[in-house]
Amino acid sequence: MAGTDVFTEIVDGEQVYKYYADGEWKKSASGKSVSIVNPTTRQTQYKVQACTQEEVNKVMEAAKTAQKLWARTPLWKRAEHLHKAAAILKEHRAPIAVCLVKEIAKPAKDAVTEVVRSGDLVSYTAEEGVRILGEGKLLVSDSFPGNERSKYCLSSKVPLGVVLAIPPFNYPVNLAVSKIAPALIAGNSLVLKPPTQGAVAALHMIQCFHLAGFPKGLISCVTGKGSEIGDFLTMHPGVNCISFTGGDTGIAISKKAGMIPLQMELGGKDACIVLEDADLDLVASNIVKGGYSYSGQRCTAVKVVLVMESVVDAVVEKVKSKMAKLSVGSPEDDCDITPVVSESSANFIEGLVMDAKEKGATFCQEYRREGNLIWPLLLDHVRPDMRIAWEEPFGPVLPVIRISSVEEGIHHCNASNFGLQGCVFTRDINKAILISDAMETGTVQINSAPARGPDHFPFQGLKDSGIGSQGITNSINMMTKIKSTVINLPSPSYTMG
Ligand SMILES: NC(=O)C1=CN([C@@H]2O[C@H](COP(=O)(O)OP(=O)(O)OC[C@H]3O[C@@H](n4cnc5c(N)ncnc54)[C@H](OP(=O)(O)O)[C@@H]3O)[C@@H](O)[C@H]2O)C=CC1
Ligand SMILES: O=C(O)[C@H](O)COP(=O)(O)O
């Protein structure tokens, strides 16, 4: 079955990708499409349907109906469906990876890894769901003052209803399934609004779920520009939960959404604090991996390096020599550094670089840009008055700030409006723990660059970096609510065992 044949039904005769509703692939009545520009060629690569509000209404209605039946489907059967989808997804990793290469310029090998990781995430979620959703709680009343043992409270986790999933461009498959799988195992239905860049990879992934035989209407995927249908979706009365990953848009959504659970994973400015006693080779390899993988377009990328004065020259030299080995070019050639997602993104990154230059930062390499391709750049002597000290470039440019005390590094980290992850490099575990406790971020990595994975670890941001916590177990729990039934006995009963 592996190959592209199974995907022929998802595209129409004019090569516009269809949207997915009621278990079928459909053309939008709008007659309009949205173009997806290949970041490398800067030409239109694909087109997707611009769905209408009426189509969104129908999807929500179908999702509501399908969810009622799905919630009555035994947990082990829900898990079986997910395992099947995971296997199909992994089987078709090659054509899906091609879409990631063309739509978001993800290096070829990383594109395959994203799909395989997604399959693993779906399987793990199915297994975790079977365990944690199979357990409930029994409380007895006599532990609270004034009560006898006459009430037994049975509580369990039940679905929320319709979950709306909105992932960002940089992991359009993985950050979609990290929402889809927990929603489904917990008995919810799911409406996906994929990012425009990455929508075609996401539609291929949805076809894998279709092939796994989920009931009609349970999963839907509506396409269109977020700026056009986003508000209609996020404020739709049929939505019972929103799981969003992306930038500041998430803050706006949080303000507009109704009284429903929200899971928001937003931007970051992950700091890397380097102490005098750190293993500097380990530091350098983690700065390069953390700062420049996928051209810095990861929320968990290292986005500011804070190094003690005594070791900063050595760190900069080691990072420079490793950076010189990074290949720069096309994602098809599996280069380390590939074009950033759009021209506007490249312009924004360039703006940060030029601001730093004007204010006196030193460039460790020559600044070079061709189209959306920006060569990796390390900026030394960055100071707090420069935009790049605080803003998230989402590109292959990384500032180094020289610090004279650990406190200065912690202060810079905590003065950020973001609080996603951070990392500290030292051989002294006691200092590392103290620094981790002092850093106001959702996660601190000791002696390694920030990262979301493994995908079952909790993943959360403080401040403008988000609301709630992701990671497989936390996402399953977040997409449920507690339902209690209390048995009231006519008289207290104490068991003697
Ligand atoms: N903390 C985390 O886990 C992660 C955070 N990010 C952050 O995301 C940003 C980059 O990703 P990017 O995709 O550009 O982020 P955006 O916030 O621009 O877009 C994210 C998603 O929101 C959609 N969207 C846009 N406008 C609206 C709206 N009004 N209502 C509802 N949805 C809307 C987009 O659709 P469309 O594409 O059609 O506009 C896309 O699917 C960075 O700031 C990065 O740090 C990225 C990955 C992980
Ligand atoms: O979108 C992102 O950038 C991710 O959530 C980070 O994932 P990673 O650390 O696995 O790259």
Side-chain angles (χ1 to χ4, degrees):
M1 183 154 96
T4 50
D5 291 358
V6 296
F7 297 112
T8 44
E9 66 173 313
I10 77 172
V11 65
D12 73 14
E14 283 124 40
Q15 293 305 301
V16 181
Y17 280 83
K18 298 179 191 168
Y19 76 101
Y20 184 69
D22 227 3
E24 287 170 25
W25 290 96
K26 300 184 178 185
K27 287 175 73 163
S28 169
S30 72
K32 292 186 192 150
S33 62
V34 179
S35 297
I36 297 168
V37 175
N38 180 322
T40 311
T41 63
R42 293 190 287 156
Q43 305 292 315
T44 296
Q45 181 73 46
Y46 302 116
K47 287 182 180 170
V48 291
Q49 310 288 324
C51 290
T52 64
Q53 294 188 351
E54 189 46 39
E55 284 155 354
V56 169
N57 285 336
K58 283 194 183 145
V59 153
M60 293 297 175
E61 204 47 52
K64 191 175 172 184
T65 309
Q67 191 268 329
K68 303 272 179 243
L69 283 175
W70 184 242
R72 290 161 191 254
T73 304
L75 194 46
W76 66 266
K77 268 196 186 173
R78 290 185 223 155
E80 251 183 21
H81 276 88
L82 284 169
H83 281 302
K84 200 167 170 192
I88 298 171
L89 190 60
K90 283 164 93 168
E91 185 185 355
H92 295 294
R93 59 189 173 274
I96 301 175
V98 168
C99 302
L100 293 170
V101 168
K102 304 279 181 215
E103 282 182 285
I104 58 163
K106 186 160 276 200
K109 276 193 197 142
D110 292 353
V112 174
T113 305
E114 176 173 346
V115 184
V116 173
R117 174 182 178 180
S118 300
D120 290 339
L121 191 156
V122 174
S123 295
Y124 190 103
T125 307
E127 287 172 23
E128 182 72 346
V130 163
R131 291 193 201 104
I132 66 172
L133 295 165
E135 281 182 1
K137 207 170 179 183
L138 166 67
L139 288 172
V140 288
S141 50
D142 63 320
S143 48
F144 199 85
N147 284 274
E148 292 281 11
R149 195 180 174 111
S150 57
K151 292 172 187 282
Y152 287 2
C153 175
L154 303 169
S155 62
S156 61
K157 292 169 192 154
V158 297
L160 296 173
V162 179
V163 175
L164 172 64
I166 307 183
F169 81 83
N170 63 342
Y171 281 97
V173 174
N174 186 263
L175 284 171
V177 300
S178 73
K179 304 170 189 313
I180 295 172
L184 295 180
I185 194 69
N188 301 288
S189 57
L190 192 286
V191 176
L192 174 69
K193 183 347 232 161
T196 295
Q197 300 288 146
V200 173
L203 291 168
H204 280 67
M205 173 271 294
I206 289 291
Q207 172 70 344
C208 296
F209 279 77
H210 170 76
L211 295 171
F214 284 91
K216 282 183 178 187
L218 186 72
I219 305 170
S220 328
C221 183
V222 288
T223 50
K225 282 192 184 152
S227 52
E228 285 167 19
I229 56 162
D231 281 357
F232 191 72
L233 277 161
T234 53
M235 294 197 283
H236 200 285
V239 172
N240 304 110
C241 168
I242 301 175
S243 177
F244 175 92
T245 308
D248 287 352
T249 318
I251 297 177
I253 293 174
S254 308
K255 289 179 181 153
K256 287 184 239 172
M259 210 173 70
I260 54 172
L262 301 177
Q263 186 180 47
M264 294 279 157
E265 292 294 340
L266 312 181
K269 186 72 183 171
D270 293 6
C272 171
I273 301 180
V274 183
L275 271 52
E276 293 101 333
D277 68 342
D279 173 341
L280 300 189
D281 291 310
L282 182 72
V283 168
S285 51
N286 274 278
I287 289 176
V288 174
K289 183 169 132 261
Y292 300 99
S293 302
Y294 187 35
S295 308
Q297 296 173 113
R298 296 166 55 238
C299 58
T300 50
V302 170
K303 294 193 181 117
V304 58
V305 181
L306 302 150
V307 195
M308 291 295 285
E309 284 281 5
S310 57
V311 290
V312 69
D313 289 332
V315 169
V316 167
E317 276 316 306
K318 282 178 191 289
V319 172
K320 269 167 67 178
S321 80
K322 286 187 190 296
M323 284 174 70
K325 296 187 189 125
L326 293 174
S327 54
V328 181
S330 74
E332 284 85 354
D333 293 335
D334 202 36
C335 288
D336 299 309
I337 304 294
T338 55
V340 296
V341 70
S342 64
E343 190 175 344
S344 62
S345 177
N347 291 343
F348 175 75
I349 296 162
E350 186 164 289
L352 293 181
V353 169
M354 292 310 147
D355 172 77
K357 189 179 183 188
E358 278 161 27
K359 293 175 181 159
T362 51
F363 288 10
C364 299
Q365 298 83 11
E366 189 191 348
Y367 174 69
R368 193 170 161 202
R369 171 182 170 186
E370 280 171 22
N372 296 347
L373 184 61
I374 294 176
W375 269 251
L377 180 64
L378 187 72
L379 298 101
D380 198 359
H381 299 281
V382 167
R383 289 191 323 265
D385 62 325
M386 300 174 190
R387 287 175 56 205
I388 201 160
W390 306 105
E391 295 182 39
E392 182 187 33
F394 233 59
V397 300
L398 182 58
V400 176
I401 299 181
R402 294 164 173 248
I403 51 170
S404 49
S405 67
V406 175
E407 289 70 26
E408 196 183 333
I410 294 170
H411 178 265
H412 186 93
C413 168
N414 292 351
S416 170
N417 60 312
F418 293 117
L420 191 60
Q421 290 207 357
C423 59
V424 54
F425 285 85
T426 171
R427 288 190 168 94
D428 184 336
I429 189 66
N430 298 324
K431 272 192 197 162
I433 296 290
L434 290 176
I435 294 168
S436 169
D437 285 345
M439 285 169 83
E440 292 167 5
T441 61
T443 303
V444 174
Q445 305 266 352
I446 297 173
N447 292 327
S448 185
R452 172 167 49 109
D455 290 333
H456 65 307
F457 280 13
F459 180 55
Q460 54 281 318
L462 308 183
K463 301 188 264 185
D464 286 353
S465 290
I467 306 175
S469 179
Q470 282 194 141
I472 291 171
T473 313
N474 286 347
S475 290
I476 296 172
N477 284 329
M478 184 268 167
M479 291 175 186
T480 62
K481 59 190 165 199
I482 303 291
K483 168 78 192 239
S484 296
T485 301
V486 180
I487 301 169
N488 289 276
L489 301 178
S491 57
S493 171
Y494 291 86
T495 172
M496 297 304 137

